[in-house]
Amino acid sequence: MSTQSIFAPAQIGRAGEDIAMQLEAAILGEKILPGERLPSERELQTQFQCGRGVIREAIRALKQKGLVEIRKGAKGGAYVKNIEMTNVGESLALFLKQQRVAPGHIVEFRESIDRVIVVLAIARASAAEKQALIAETEKLLEILEGETPDRDSLARQDQILNIALAKMSRNPIFEWVMTAIQQGFSSHDYALYDDPVYCRKTVENWHATACRIAENDPMKALNSISAHYGLLHRCVENQKAESKNVSADGPDTAQVS
Amino acid sequence: MSTQSIFAPAQIGRAGEDIAMQLEAAILGEKILPGERLPSERELQTQFQCGRGVIREAIRALKQKGLVEIRKGAKGGAYVKNIEMTNVGESLALFLKQQRVAPGHIVEFRESIDRVIVVLAIARASAAEKQALIAETEKLLEILEGETPDRDSLARQDQILNIALAKMSRNPIFEWVMTAIQQGFSSHDYALYDDPVYCRKTVENWHATACRIAENDPMKALNSISAHYGLLHRCVENQKAESKNVSADGPDTAQVS
DNA sequence: AGCAAGAGAATGGTACTACCAAACAAAAGA
DNA sequence: TCTTTTGTTTGGTAGTACCATTCTCTTGCT
């Protein structure tokens, strides 16, 4: 009943953007709550006094932002939903890709974030959570010891660990940042697990870090984190060096310096 | 070197998304370089063998992601551009708004980021940049001393300072994070400048921080940062207390039938 | 009565046409 | 040569028609 009055026709310039803004404002202002439906395209068409194409473009914009989910058929339409962290991460990933941000920058950023997260996690997470984190690292060890230590499983478990740790910081922003970075640059972590030498060290280091956290020993935990990123940094450097040599020489197995 | 061969008609399901993906892939894969133009809507229409509306929706999606910029008129069309940090920040701002992330979390996150940035800036930025930073803080002082210390000017200068400092870290990711957070939560900073007491302290603190950075004294600089966020934290707490006293009136909860 | 098949309606997805407005380019005129 | 006009290209919008999907309600059979 109320949607008839909250929208106004838009004559000026780019009507599509204007409509998208009105709809977005209605959603963010909680005029339309998550789970509820926007009026159908044809209804909006009459309310806004414009063509259906304009409405469609506006709704597509909202969909791209992750504000709504679109269903077909009767009772279909644009349903308001909660924004997921992955949606935001996607745009960051795009940015990182296009700007060709150096892997070293990512590593540096992640290390600084992780250091803060670890301190917060030690201070705030429950003992149960800390034990659970150790259990997850042990899963990682099991995968490594198993007969088929495939890279994907390791990488996935690594992601789970990172997110779990971020959650323990009790600050959703750290959790989001970690998710976004993982999404945008998981490829470099994979590289770490491709090399058998780095792989073993990394896994053991994860376990050690989790233990230090459970022991509520921030200093030692930070040392473990530093070690982890030291490995990652060297690995990235090796990759960089390799990719330069590939043209002249065959791909050589990476070695520890 | 023609776009006639790199795109394929899409029959399956949501043709619009398929086309958007193809175009995005072409851009990210550098088939079309920044500054160049996508074919016109009508050309793409024939290449993809579909209606113009579908093409438009696909291009609008790219525009929303910040991948292209659309111009009207002859020689108009969708021009590939570099993604700007503000585009990515927008989606983060949406997320923070919708998830109702507590201001305290933002303050905590910003403080931890700023601490890292300050250390990096001291280590990496040139002396000239550090002097420039001090000059910017002095501008802030001037605005405050001036006859019309309006909040907007102060807030704008505050943003400039934050971004400038982030740039000095020589890591674009920190710069982006700072931009994104500013965009998403400038309102809380504004609050700091609304209160005359906090305002003066904050401005003086900014100046002190810049000086500590120029002196290459990380410890004292970090102390300044802590002081800044201590102020911000108290300010946010005050606001929270105030808003609780007001909220008895009840927010107007408009709802849709 | 109960269940299944089918008809109907609502809704997004697509195609096509027509026209407008803006921006640029080339021709025409001073 | 410079200015004005005209034309062309291109995005922006309106409107219509039709299809595919999904839900609902009716019909009809058991």
Side-chain angles (χ1 to χ4, degrees), chain B residues 13-15 50-52 54 72-75:
Chain B
R14 285 137 152 75
C50 66
R52 199 175 146 210
V54 177
K72 278 191 299 191
K75 283 289 194 73

PDB file of all heavy atoms in Angstrom, chain B residues 13-15 50-52 54 72-75, chain C residues 13-16 18-19 22-25:
ATOM      1  N   GLY B  13      20.130 -19.257 -21.159  1.00  0.00           N
ATOM      2  CA  GLY B  13      19.566 -18.578 -19.990  1.00  0.00           C
ATOM      3  C   GLY B  13      19.603 -17.072 -20.007  1.00  0.00           C
ATOM      4  O   GLY B  13      19.063 -16.436 -20.900  1.00  0.00           O
ATOM      5  N   ARG B  14      20.267 -16.497 -19.037  1.00  0.00           N
ATOM      6  CA  ARG B  14      20.340 -15.053 -18.942  1.00  0.00           C
ATOM      7  C   ARG B  14      21.421 -14.533 -19.871  1.00  0.00           C
ATOM      8  O   ARG B  14      22.592 -14.443 -19.513  1.00  0.00           O
ATOM      9  CB  ARG B  14      20.666 -14.655 -17.508  1.00  0.00           C
ATOM     10  CG  ARG B  14      19.490 -14.797 -16.561  1.00  0.00           C
ATOM     11  CD  ARG B  14      19.947 -15.428 -15.265  1.00  0.00           C
ATOM     12  NE  ARG B  14      19.126 -15.036 -14.130  1.00  0.00           N
ATOM     13  CZ  ARG B  14      17.907 -15.495 -13.897  1.00  0.00           C
ATOM     14  NH1 ARG B  14      17.330 -16.298 -14.756  1.00  0.00           N
ATOM     15  NH2 ARG B  14      17.259 -15.129 -12.813  1.00  0.00           N
ATOM     16  N   ALA B  15      20.970 -14.146 -21.035  1.00  0.00           N
ATOM     17  CA  ALA B  15      21.910 -13.701 -22.045  1.00  0.00           C
ATOM     18  C   ALA B  15      22.656 -12.464 -21.566  1.00  0.00           C
ATOM     19  O   ALA B  15      23.842 -12.297 -21.842  1.00  0.00           O
ATOM     20  CB  ALA B  15      21.173 -13.410 -23.350  1.00  0.00           C
ATOM     21  N   CYS B  50      21.340 -10.232 -30.516  1.00  0.00           N
ATOM     22  CA  CYS B  50      20.317 -10.109 -29.487  1.00  0.00           C
ATOM     23  C   CYS B  50      19.758  -8.695 -29.517  1.00  0.00           C
ATOM     24  O   CYS B  50      20.182  -7.868 -30.320  1.00  0.00           O
ATOM     25  CB  CYS B  50      20.894 -10.411 -28.121  1.00  0.00           C
ATOM     26  SG  CYS B  50      22.113  -9.201 -27.606  1.00  0.00           S
ATOM     27  N   GLY B  51      18.813  -8.434 -28.643  1.00  0.00           N
ATOM     28  CA  GLY B  51      18.175  -7.128 -28.599  1.00  0.00           C
ATOM     29  C   GLY B  51      19.074  -6.094 -27.952  1.00  0.00           C
ATOM     30  O   GLY B  51      20.024  -6.427 -27.229  1.00  0.00           O
ATOM     31  N   ARG B  52      18.747  -4.846 -28.188  1.00  0.00           N
ATOM     32  CA  ARG B  52      19.602  -3.787 -27.671  1.00  0.00           C
ATOM     33  C   ARG B  52      19.468  -3.665 -26.154  1.00  0.00           C
ATOM     34  O   ARG B  52      20.418  -3.301 -25.465  1.00  0.00           O
ATOM     35  CB  ARG B  52      19.213  -2.461 -28.338  1.00  0.00           C
ATOM     36  CG  ARG B  52      20.291  -1.415 -28.229  1.00  0.00           C
ATOM     37  CD  ARG B  52      19.902  -0.162 -29.001  1.00  0.00           C
ATOM     38  NE  ARG B  52      20.406   1.028 -28.346  1.00  0.00           N
ATOM     39  CZ  ARG B  52      19.820   2.206 -28.398  1.00  0.00           C
ATOM     40  NH1 ARG B  52      18.672   2.336 -29.041  1.00  0.00           N
ATOM     41  NH2 ARG B  52      20.335   3.232 -27.782  1.00  0.00           N
ATOM     42  N   VAL B  54      19.281  -5.959 -23.946  1.00  0.00           N
ATOM     43  CA  VAL B  54      20.214  -6.870 -23.281  1.00  0.00           C
ATOM     44  C   VAL B  54      21.613  -6.264 -23.241  1.00  0.00           C
ATOM     45  O   VAL B  54      22.294  -6.283 -22.213  1.00  0.00           O
ATOM     46  CB  VAL B  54      20.237  -8.227 -24.018  1.00  0.00           C
ATOM     47  CG1 VAL B  54      21.244  -9.153 -23.397  1.00  0.00           C
ATOM     48  CG2 VAL B  54      18.857  -8.829 -23.992  1.00  0.00           C
ATOM     49  N   LYS B  72      27.761  10.114 -24.188  1.00  0.00           N
ATOM     50  CA  LYS B  72      26.700  10.232 -25.179  1.00  0.00           C
ATOM     51  C   LYS B  72      27.250  10.810 -26.482  1.00  0.00           C
ATOM     52  O   LYS B  72      28.409  11.185 -26.576  1.00  0.00           O
ATOM     53  CB  LYS B  72      25.597  11.146 -24.658  1.00  0.00           C
ATOM     54  CG  LYS B  72      24.628  10.451 -23.738  1.00  0.00           C
ATOM     55  CD  LYS B  72      23.414  11.326 -23.467  1.00  0.00           C
ATOM     56  CE  LYS B  72      23.767  12.627 -22.786  1.00  0.00           C
ATOM     57  NZ  LYS B  72      22.560  13.338 -22.312  1.00  0.00           N
ATOM     58  N   GLY B  73      26.398  10.882 -27.455  1.00  0.00           N
ATOM     59  CA  GLY B  73      26.712  11.561 -28.703  1.00  0.00           C
ATOM     60  C   GLY B  73      27.652  10.786 -29.613  1.00  0.00           C
ATOM     61  O   GLY B  73      28.094   9.686 -29.308  1.00  0.00           O
ATOM     62  N   ALA B  74      27.928  11.371 -30.767  1.00  0.00           N
ATOM     63  CA  ALA B  74      28.861  10.762 -31.704  1.00  0.00           C
ATOM     64  C   ALA B  74      30.209  10.569 -31.016  1.00  0.00           C
ATOM     65  O   ALA B  74      30.598  11.359 -30.160  1.00  0.00           O
ATOM     66  CB  ALA B  74      29.026  11.660 -32.927  1.00  0.00           C
ATOM     67  N   LYS B  75      30.911   9.507 -31.398  1.00  0.00           N
ATOM     68  CA  LYS B  75      32.159   9.146 -30.724  1.00  0.00           C
ATOM     69  C   LYS B  75      31.903   8.817 -29.250  1.00  0.00           C
ATOM     70  O   LYS B  75      32.830   8.762 -28.450  1.00  0.00           O
ATOM     71  CB  LYS B  75      33.190  10.276 -30.815  1.00  0.00           C
ATOM     72  CG  LYS B  75      33.875  10.400 -32.169  1.00  0.00           C
ATOM     73  CD  LYS B  75      34.834   9.250 -32.402  1.00  0.00           C
ATOM     74  CE  LYS B  75      35.762   9.516 -33.569  1.00  0.00           C
ATOM     75  NZ  LYS B  75      36.775  10.517 -33.234  1.00  0.00           N
TER      76      LYS B  75
ATOM     77  P    DG C  13      14.978 -11.302 -15.134  1.00  0.00           P
ATOM     78  OP1  DG C  13      16.129 -12.123 -14.711  1.00  0.00           O
ATOM     79  OP2  DG C  13      15.060  -9.835 -15.134  1.00  0.00           O
ATOM     80  O5'  DG C  13      14.523 -11.792 -16.580  1.00  0.00           O
ATOM     81  C5'  DG C  13      14.723 -13.161 -16.939  1.00  0.00           C
ATOM     82  C4'  DG C  13      14.795 -13.308 -18.451  1.00  0.00           C
ATOM     83  O4'  DG C  13      13.509 -13.027 -19.033  1.00  0.00           O
ATOM     84  C3'  DG C  13      15.790 -12.361 -19.132  1.00  0.00           C
ATOM     85  O3'  DG C  13      16.520 -13.086 -20.117  1.00  0.00           O
ATOM     86  C2'  DG C  13      14.902 -11.290 -19.751  1.00  0.00           C
ATOM     87  C1'  DG C  13      13.647 -12.099 -20.087  1.00  0.00           C
ATOM     88  N9   DG C  13      12.425 -11.298 -20.139  1.00  0.00           N
ATOM     89  C8   DG C  13      12.011 -10.383 -19.218  1.00  0.00           C
ATOM     90  N7   DG C  13      10.873  -9.814 -19.519  1.00  0.00           N
ATOM     91  C5   DG C  13      10.512 -10.391 -20.732  1.00  0.00           C
ATOM     92  C6   DG C  13       9.376 -10.171 -21.558  1.00  0.00           C
ATOM     93  O6   DG C  13       8.441  -9.397 -21.371  1.00  0.00           O
ATOM     94  N1   DG C  13       9.410 -10.959 -22.691  1.00  0.00           N
ATOM     95  C2   DG C  13      10.409 -11.856 -23.000  1.00  0.00           C
ATOM     96  N2   DG C  13      10.264 -12.533 -24.139  1.00  0.00           N
ATOM     97  N3   DG C  13      11.485 -12.076 -22.238  1.00  0.00           N
ATOM     98  C4   DG C  13      11.464 -11.304 -21.124  1.00  0.00           C
ATOM     99  P    DT C  14      17.646 -12.374 -20.926  1.00  0.00           P
ATOM    100  OP1  DT C  14      18.646 -13.395 -21.259  1.00  0.00           O
ATOM    101  OP2  DT C  14      18.043 -11.118 -20.254  1.00  0.00           O
ATOM    102  O5'  DT C  14      16.888 -12.004 -22.259  1.00  0.00           O
ATOM    103  C5'  DT C  14      16.377 -13.049 -23.080  1.00  0.00           C
ATOM    104  C4'  DT C  14      15.606 -12.477 -24.246  1.00  0.00           C
ATOM    105  O4'  DT C  14      14.451 -11.761 -23.765  1.00  0.00           O
ATOM    106  C3'  DT C  14      16.385 -11.483 -25.106  1.00  0.00           C
ATOM    107  O3'  DT C  14      16.686 -12.107 -26.341  1.00  0.00           O
ATOM    108  C2'  DT C  14      15.422 -10.279 -25.261  1.00  0.00           C
ATOM    109  C1'  DT C  14      14.099 -10.820 -24.756  1.00  0.00           C
ATOM    110  N1   DT C  14      13.209  -9.821 -24.133  1.00  0.00           N
ATOM    111  C2   DT C  14      12.019  -9.521 -24.747  1.00  0.00           C
ATOM    112  O2   DT C  14      11.669 -10.036 -25.793  1.00  0.00           O
ATOM    113  N3   DT C  14      11.242  -8.595 -24.092  1.00  0.00           N
ATOM    114  C4   DT C  14      11.548  -7.960 -22.901  1.00  0.00           C
ATOM    115  O4   DT C  14      10.774  -7.135 -22.399  1.00  0.00           O
ATOM    116  C5   DT C  14      12.809  -8.308 -22.315  1.00  0.00           C
ATOM    117  C7   DT C  14      13.228  -7.672 -21.021  1.00  0.00           C
ATOM    118  C6   DT C  14      13.569  -9.219 -22.949  1.00  0.00           C
ATOM    119  P    DA C  15      17.482 -11.340 -27.439  1.00  0.00           P
ATOM    120  OP1  DA C  15      18.144 -12.344 -28.282  1.00  0.00           O
ATOM    121  OP2  DA C  15      18.255 -10.263 -26.814  1.00  0.00           O
ATOM    122  O5'  DA C  15      16.315 -10.687 -28.302  1.00  0.00           O
ATOM    123  C5'  DA C  15      15.337 -11.535 -28.873  1.00  0.00           C
ATOM    124  C4'  DA C  15      14.367 -10.710 -29.707  1.00  0.00           C
ATOM    125  O4'  DA C  15      13.511  -9.959 -28.807  1.00  0.00           O
ATOM    126  C3'  DA C  15      15.047  -9.690 -30.613  1.00  0.00           C
ATOM    127  O3'  DA C  15      14.623  -9.897 -31.948  1.00  0.00           O
ATOM    128  C2'  DA C  15      14.600  -8.324 -30.060  1.00  0.00           C
ATOM    129  C1'  DA C  15      13.321  -8.662 -29.318  1.00  0.00           C
ATOM    130  N9   DA C  15      13.038  -7.791 -28.166  1.00  0.00           N
ATOM    131  C8   DA C  15      13.865  -7.547 -27.098  1.00  0.00           C
ATOM    132  N7   DA C  15      13.349  -6.739 -26.206  1.00  0.00           N
ATOM    133  C5   DA C  15      12.098  -6.427 -26.717  1.00  0.00           C
ATOM    134  C6   DA C  15      11.057  -5.614 -26.239  1.00  0.00           C
ATOM    135  N6   DA C  15      11.110  -4.942 -25.094  1.00  0.00           N
ATOM    136  N1   DA C  15       9.943  -5.519 -26.997  1.00  0.00           N
ATOM    137  C2   DA C  15       9.881  -6.201 -28.149  1.00  0.00           C
ATOM    138  N3   DA C  15      10.797  -6.995 -28.701  1.00  0.00           N
ATOM    139  C4   DA C  15      11.894  -7.067 -27.924  1.00  0.00           C
ATOM    140  P    DC C  16      15.328  -9.112 -33.125  1.00  0.00           P
ATOM    141  OP1  DC C  16      15.262 -10.001 -34.300  1.00  0.00           O
ATOM    142  OP2  DC C  16      16.631  -8.600 -32.648  1.00  0.00           O
ATOM    143  O5'  DC C  16      14.385  -7.854 -33.398  1.00  0.00           O
ATOM    144  C5'  DC C  16      12.970  -8.060 -33.501  1.00  0.00           C
ATOM    145  C4'  DC C  16      12.241  -6.731 -33.433  1.00  0.00           C
ATOM    146  O4'  DC C  16      12.135  -6.311 -32.053  1.00  0.00           O
ATOM    147  C3'  DC C  16      12.948  -5.591 -34.153  1.00  0.00           C
ATOM    148  O3'  DC C  16      12.247  -5.267 -35.333  1.00  0.00           O
ATOM    149  C2'  DC C  16      12.951  -4.428 -33.147  1.00  0.00           C
ATOM    150  C1'  DC C  16      12.029  -4.899 -32.045  1.00  0.00           C
ATOM    151  N1   DC C  16      12.391  -4.421 -30.687  1.00  0.00           N
ATOM    152  C2   DC C  16      11.480  -3.628 -29.983  1.00  0.00           C
ATOM    153  O2   DC C  16      10.403  -3.347 -30.509  1.00  0.00           O
ATOM    154  N3   DC C  16      11.813  -3.188 -28.740  1.00  0.00           N
ATOM    155  C4   DC C  16      12.995  -3.525 -28.212  1.00  0.00           C
ATOM    156  N4   DC C  16      13.275  -3.075 -26.985  1.00  0.00           N
ATOM    157  C5   DC C  16      13.931  -4.328 -28.911  1.00  0.00           C
ATOM    158  C6   DC C  16      13.600  -4.752 -30.134  1.00  0.00           C
ATOM    159  P    DA C  18       9.931   1.482 -37.280  1.00  0.00           P
ATOM    160  OP1  DA C  18       8.886   1.522 -38.324  1.00  0.00           O
ATOM    161  OP2  DA C  18      11.361   1.419 -37.657  1.00  0.00           O
ATOM    162  O5'  DA C  18       9.723   2.731 -36.330  1.00  0.00           O
ATOM    163  C5'  DA C  18       8.595   2.772 -35.450  1.00  0.00           C
ATOM    164  C4'  DA C  18       8.781   3.881 -34.431  1.00  0.00           C
ATOM    165  O4'  DA C  18       9.642   3.420 -33.364  1.00  0.00           O
ATOM    166  C3'  DA C  18       9.436   5.138 -35.005  1.00  0.00           C
ATOM    167  O3'  DA C  18       8.552   6.243 -34.859  1.00  0.00           O
ATOM    168  C2'  DA C  18      10.718   5.304 -34.200  1.00  0.00           C
ATOM    169  C1'  DA C  18      10.457   4.491 -32.947  1.00  0.00           C
ATOM    170  N9   DA C  18      11.657   3.915 -32.338  1.00  0.00           N
ATOM    171  C8   DA C  18      12.590   3.124 -32.931  1.00  0.00           C
ATOM    172  N7   DA C  18      13.570   2.766 -32.142  1.00  0.00           N
ATOM    173  C5   DA C  18      13.260   3.374 -30.938  1.00  0.00           C
ATOM    174  C6   DA C  18      13.904   3.393 -29.690  1.00  0.00           C
ATOM    175  N6   DA C  18      15.043   2.755 -29.449  1.00  0.00           N
ATOM    176  N1   DA C  18      13.323   4.101 -28.689  1.00  0.00           N
ATOM    177  C2   DA C  18      12.171   4.736 -28.940  1.00  0.00           C
ATOM    178  N3   DA C  18      11.482   4.802 -30.068  1.00  0.00           N
ATOM    179  C4   DA C  18      12.081   4.090 -31.040  1.00  0.00           C
ATOM    180  P    DC C  19       8.880   7.584 -35.676  1.00  0.00           P
ATOM    181  OP1  DC C  19       7.578   8.128 -36.076  1.00  0.00           O
ATOM    182  OP2  DC C  19       9.934   7.337 -36.673  1.00  0.00           O
ATOM    183  O5'  DC C  19       9.485   8.539 -34.555  1.00  0.00           O
ATOM    184  C5'  DC C  19       8.772   8.693 -33.328  1.00  0.00           C
ATOM    185  C4'  DC C  19       9.718   9.128 -32.245  1.00  0.00           C
ATOM    186  O4'  DC C  19      10.682   8.089 -31.984  1.00  0.00           O
ATOM    187  C3'  DC C  19      10.549  10.370 -32.579  1.00  0.00           C
ATOM    188  O3'  DC C  19      10.090  11.476 -31.812  1.00  0.00           O
ATOM    189  C2'  DC C  19      11.984   9.977 -32.223  1.00  0.00           C
ATOM    190  C1'  DC C  19      11.794   8.705 -31.395  1.00  0.00           C
ATOM    191  N1   DC C  19      12.953   7.792 -31.457  1.00  0.00           N
ATOM    192  C2   DC C  19      13.687   7.545 -30.289  1.00  0.00           C
ATOM    193  O2   DC C  19      13.337   8.085 -29.243  1.00  0.00           O
ATOM    194  N3   DC C  19      14.769   6.719 -30.351  1.00  0.00           N
ATOM    195  C4   DC C  19      15.102   6.161 -31.504  1.00  0.00           C
ATOM    196  N4   DC C  19      16.166   5.354 -31.527  1.00  0.00           N
ATOM    197  C5   DC C  19      14.368   6.388 -32.708  1.00  0.00           C
ATOM    198  C6   DC C  19      13.309   7.209 -32.641  1.00  0.00           C
ATOM    199  P    DA C  22      19.875  17.721 -24.459  1.00  0.00           P
ATOM    200  OP1  DA C  22      19.799  18.107 -23.031  1.00  0.00           O
ATOM    201  OP2  DA C  22      19.495  18.664 -25.529  1.00  0.00           O
ATOM    202  O5'  DA C  22      21.356  17.202 -24.747  1.00  0.00           O
ATOM    203  C5'  DA C  22      21.859  16.101 -23.994  1.00  0.00           C
ATOM    204  C4'  DA C  22      23.026  15.465 -24.725  1.00  0.00           C
ATOM    205  O4'  DA C  22      22.576  14.905 -25.971  1.00  0.00           O
ATOM    206  C3'  DA C  22      24.165  16.428 -25.062  1.00  0.00           C
ATOM    207  O3'  DA C  22      25.370  15.868 -24.607  1.00  0.00           O
ATOM    208  C2'  DA C  22      24.119  16.525 -26.586  1.00  0.00           C
ATOM    209  C1'  DA C  22      23.528  15.181 -26.969  1.00  0.00           C
ATOM    210  N9   DA C  22      22.836  15.131 -28.253  1.00  0.00           N
ATOM    211  C8   DA C  22      21.798  15.896 -28.663  1.00  0.00           C
ATOM    212  N7   DA C  22      21.369  15.605 -29.878  1.00  0.00           N
ATOM    213  C5   DA C  22      22.191  14.578 -30.282  1.00  0.00           C
ATOM    214  C6   DA C  22      22.259  13.825 -31.472  1.00  0.00           C
ATOM    215  N6   DA C  22      21.440  14.021 -32.502  1.00  0.00           N
ATOM    216  N1   DA C  22      23.199  12.868 -31.548  1.00  0.00           N
ATOM    217  C2   DA C  22      24.020  12.680 -30.508  1.00  0.00           C
ATOM    218  N3   DA C  22      24.052  13.325 -29.342  1.00  0.00           N
ATOM    219  C4   DA C  22      23.099  14.266 -29.294  1.00  0.00           C
ATOM    220  P    DA C  23      26.623  16.820 -24.323  1.00  0.00           P
ATOM    221  OP1  DA C  23      27.219  16.407 -23.041  1.00  0.00           O
ATOM    222  OP2  DA C  23      26.204  18.222 -24.558  1.00  0.00           O
ATOM    223  O5'  DA C  23      27.623  16.390 -25.496  1.00  0.00           O
ATOM    224  C5'  DA C  23      27.975  15.020 -25.618  1.00  0.00           C
ATOM    225  C4'  DA C  23      28.530  14.756 -26.997  1.00  0.00           C
ATOM    226  O4'  DA C  23      27.468  14.813 -27.977  1.00  0.00           O
ATOM    227  C3'  DA C  23      29.585  15.772 -27.461  1.00  0.00           C
ATOM    228  O3'  DA C  23      30.750  15.063 -27.827  1.00  0.00           O
ATOM    229  C2'  DA C  23      28.929  16.475 -28.649  1.00  0.00           C
ATOM    230  C1'  DA C  23      27.970  15.399 -29.141  1.00  0.00           C
ATOM    231  N9   DA C  23      26.825  15.898 -29.910  1.00  0.00           N
ATOM    232  C8   DA C  23      25.986  16.924 -29.589  1.00  0.00           C
ATOM    233  N7   DA C  23      25.032  17.127 -30.471  1.00  0.00           N
ATOM    234  C5   DA C  23      25.264  16.170 -31.440  1.00  0.00           C
ATOM    235  C6   DA C  23      24.607  15.856 -32.638  1.00  0.00           C
ATOM    236  N6   DA C  23      23.525  16.510 -33.092  1.00  0.00           N
ATOM    237  N1   DA C  23      25.098  14.823 -33.367  1.00  0.00           N
ATOM    238  C2   DA C  23      26.176  14.179 -32.914  1.00  0.00           C
ATOM    239  N3   DA C  23      26.887  14.384 -31.803  1.00  0.00           N
ATOM    240  C4   DA C  23      26.366  15.399 -31.106  1.00  0.00           C
ATOM    241  P    DC C  24      32.155  15.830 -27.790  1.00  0.00           P
ATOM    242  OP1  DC C  24      33.072  15.068 -26.937  1.00  0.00           O
ATOM    243  OP2  DC C  24      31.916  17.268 -27.565  1.00  0.00           O
ATOM    244  O5'  DC C  24      32.639  15.657 -29.305  1.00  0.00           O
ATOM    245  C5'  DC C  24      32.619  14.360 -29.871  1.00  0.00           C
ATOM    246  C4'  DC C  24      32.219  14.440 -31.325  1.00  0.00           C
ATOM    247  O4'  DC C  24      30.914  15.028 -31.469  1.00  0.00           O
ATOM    248  C3'  DC C  24      33.130  15.288 -32.206  1.00  0.00           C
ATOM    249  O3'  DC C  24      33.925  14.420 -33.002  1.00  0.00           O
ATOM    250  C2'  DC C  24      32.178  16.148 -33.037  1.00  0.00           C
ATOM    251  C1'  DC C  24      30.826  15.500 -32.785  1.00  0.00           C
ATOM    252  N1   DC C  24      29.662  16.410 -32.901  1.00  0.00           N
ATOM    253  C2   DC C  24      28.763  16.243 -33.955  1.00  0.00           C
ATOM    254  O2   DC C  24      28.945  15.341 -34.784  1.00  0.00           O
ATOM    255  N3   DC C  24      27.692  17.070 -34.057  1.00  0.00           N
ATOM    256  C4   DC C  24      27.517  18.036 -33.145  1.00  0.00           C
ATOM    257  N4   DC C  24      26.436  18.823 -33.278  1.00  0.00           N
ATOM    258  C5   DC C  24      28.415  18.228 -32.058  1.00  0.00           C
ATOM    259  C6   DC C  24      29.468  17.398 -31.981  1.00  0.00           C
ATOM    260  P    DA C  25      35.068  15.009 -33.919  1.00  0.00           P
ATOM    261  OP1  DA C  25      36.166  14.021 -33.976  1.00  0.00           O
ATOM    262  OP2  DA C  25      35.327  16.398 -33.506  1.00  0.00           O
ATOM    263  O5'  DA C  25      34.355  15.047 -35.342  1.00  0.00           O
ATOM    264  C5'  DA C  25      33.618  13.910 -35.777  1.00  0.00           C
ATOM    265  C4'  DA C  25      33.124  14.130 -37.197  1.00  0.00           C
ATOM    266  O4'  DA C  25      31.893  14.902 -37.154  1.00  0.00           O
ATOM    267  C3'  DA C  25      34.083  14.920 -38.083  1.00  0.00           C
ATOM    268  O3'  DA C  25      34.074  14.397 -39.401  1.00  0.00           O
ATOM    269  C2'  DA C  25      33.540  16.333 -38.024  1.00  0.00           C
ATOM    270  C1'  DA C  25      32.037  16.098 -37.897  1.00  0.00           C
ATOM    271  N9   DA C  25      31.335  17.151 -37.185  1.00  0.00           N
ATOM    272  C8   DA C  25      31.709  17.775 -36.041  1.00  0.00           C
ATOM    273  N7   DA C  25      30.864  18.698 -35.625  1.00  0.00           N
ATOM    274  C5   DA C  25      29.858  18.671 -36.577  1.00  0.00           C
ATOM    275  C6   DA C  25      28.664  19.398 -36.710  1.00  0.00           C
ATOM    276  N6   DA C  25      28.272  20.335 -35.846  1.00  0.00           N
ATOM    277  N1   DA C  25      27.886  19.127 -37.774  1.00  0.00           N
ATOM    278  C2   DA C  25      28.272  18.184 -38.643  1.00  0.00           C
ATOM    279  N3   DA C  25      29.375  17.437 -38.619  1.00  0.00           N
ATOM    280  C4   DA C  25      30.130  17.723 -37.548  1.00  0.00           C
TER     281       DA C  25
END
